[in-house]
Amino acid sequence: MLLNSCCNKVLDFKVLRSGLKKLKVADMTSELQEIAITEEKPLLPGQADSKEAEVAAQILLDQGKVHTIETPHGDLHITLHGAVNTRRPAILTYHDVGMESKSCFSTLFNFEEMQEIVKNFTVIHIDAPGQEEEAATYPAGYQYPSMEQLAQMIPSVLQFFNFRTVIAMGVGAGAYVLSKFALDSPDSVEGLVLINIDPDARGWMDWAAQKFTTLTSSFTEQILGHLFSQEELSTNTEVQRQRERLSKSTNLPNVELFWKGYNSRRDLNIDRNSPLKCPVMLVVGDQAPHEDAVVECNSRLDPTTTSFLKMADGGGLPQISQPSKLTEAFKYFIQGMGYMASSCMTRLSRSRTASLSSSYSIDGSRSRSRTLSQSSQGGQMPPSPTQTMEVSC
């Protein structure tokens, strides 16, 4: 009987254990069924999830990689687009007062025809100290770097990314800073694109006009008067967009420091005896507030290495109002330096004619009486090695 009792207990235990296994299997089955119901789409390559990841990666690429670089005169906010390719120069940009790299250059560098250039070069956008979006406001009494010191910060950027040379593009105050950098470090700059450059210090008349404007206008209106012509201030929709951007800015005190530094700039002393050593393309919109200054700068530069582009309907910010024209001219410019020789010229090469005003004389004096009209249907319009050209688009 004792043996039968033990056998019954063993059998009961086996039945119990078997029942527990069945319960566990049932629970797992229900759990697996539950998971199968919630997993509506399998993660297969090439389907929606991979497309979303691709879109997300493209967004990050478009936004660029942000770096903070220490320099002898403070930190710089840098945005880098593309892979670092030190076998050719980087394209380095510097914005104007009242703007930062995004508002100054995004229209141009996001332009469809510009992508042919962007994919072949690393692009480095510099924000002047404290000018980037949502930058912290400097404390009262902060000594903002001078224009010369801003130029002295750029070598740290090249060293950080291990670039030996750059093709530099600047607007207004940024054009001044890059010109100073090119004068101080001629071996580091292969080419300069200077938009709205004013290489001279402010004279007494300019100083008096600035004082009067300060008394009668808000700081935002002063900046808009620097960026746009009087005609644009009354009719251009871009003016309103920039006005709204400035009114919402949280770092206007920093912008004011940059503005004061630019107004205190010194003469760059560019002339035939002390020229910029690299090819230069000067750009200005017709009737822009800086037109006279750019024309004067053109008269001082070496005509064998300088191109002058005056844009019809370009306004004060031709890189925003006329990105197609500027992109095409920039392609010609970098082709002249031996890059992108097989690049497809689009807009200008399709246009019927381009009016080229050139001047050259053996004794170095300039004459604007000679005008050439050249058909561009057959291809590009390479500048003569002994001429400076004004291209009106």
Side-chain angles (χ1 to χ4, degrees), residues 14-30:
K14 288 182 177 180
V15 171
L16 179 61
R17 187 171 60 180
S18 176
L20 289 173
K21 284 184 178 179
K22 290 179 180 179
L23 286 172
K24 288 181 179 178
V25 171
D27 290 341
M28 291 175 63
T29 303
S30 64

Side-chain angles (χ1 to χ4, degrees), residues 212-282:
F212 178 77
T213 304
T214 302
L215 295 173
T216 58
S217 303
S218 66
F219 177 66
T220 297
E221 295 305 316
Q222 293 176 48
I223 294 298
L224 292 174
H226 165 73
L227 298 175
F228 299 98
S229 66
Q230 291 299 318
E231 293 81 2
E232 289 178 294
L233 289 174
S234 59
T235 61
N236 198 319
T237 56
E238 179 64 26
V239 175
Q240 185 58 32
R241 192 173 75 87
Q242 296 296 336
R243 180 181 284 113
E244 292 176 0
R245 183 183 61 80
L246 286 168
S247 65
K248 296 177 182 178
S249 175
T250 58
N251 64 339
L252 278 182
N254 295 356
V255 178
E256 190 167 3
L257 291 174
F258 189 21
W259 177 238
K260 289 179 179 178
Y262 179 60
N263 287 327
S264 300
R265 66 188 181 277
R266 301 175 182 178
D267 285 341
L268 285 178
N269 296 320
I270 299 174
D271 55 36
R272 299 292 179 85
N273 298 321
S274 180
L276 294 165
K277 304 296 184 182
C278 62
V280 179
M281 182 169 74
L282 300 175

